Amino acid sequence: VTIDTLSIKDGNVVPAAGKGIDFSAATGSHSGSASALLDDYEEGTWTPNADDLGDAATYSGAKYIKIGRQVTFVFKIQMPSTSDTSLFAVSGLPFTCDGEYPATCKINYAMNTLLHFMVNTAEICYGYYDGTQMQYSTISGKELMITGTYFTT
């Protein structure tokens, strides 16, 4: 069944390319917003990579959800035993971080850990733990669960 540019196929509502759910007529503080169109939703997996460790680290559960421009991701990384003093960095995020809005990233290793997103890249890097830049040797042999949210273009 097709109505204008909206179709129903196999039980799914399918808008035409570039179309979506338009909330611009909704009442509320942001009604009529120029960006009130929900035109993107995606779930998937991605492949993280600890930049300086090659194949030494193992990864699991790398998933993401993208709603509009907001991306939320999660993954586990088992760090190898290492004395490498390079700064912690993971590349391969599913989308490039636009850097326009603050991005957050949480790591279960320690309460005072903050990871930074590299603007205009798909990388998180050099976390801070208790005021010190996090090196691979700092998290040697640890299993980390990392989750974060950022905006893409």
Side-chain angles (χ1 to χ4, degrees), residues 66-140:
K66 180 176 183 272
I67 302 173
R69 294 180 49 230
Q70 181 177 321
V71 180
T72 299
F73 67 91
V74 63
F75 71 101
K76 283 184 184 178
I77 180 172
Q78 177 63 54
M79 300 300 295
S81 293
T82 182
S83 58
D84 187 340
T85 57
S86 300
L87 297 179
F88 177 77
V90 174
S91 60
L93 287 170
F95 301 94
T96 298
C97 178
D98 76 356
E100 183 179 351
Y101 300 99
T104 61
C105 194
K106 187 74 174 159
I107 187 170
N108 74 334
Y109 172 63
M111 293 294 289
N112 297 327
T113 304
L114 175 65
L115 300 177
H116 297 274
F117 287 79
M118 296 300 293
V119 176
N120 297 320
T121 71
E123 181 176 30
I124 52 177
C125 66
Y126 54 87
Y128 285 87
Y129 172 67
D130 288 339
T132 336
Q133 288 187 328
M134 188 166 55
Q135 301 171 341
Y136 287 110
S137 59
T138 308
I139 51 179
S140 175

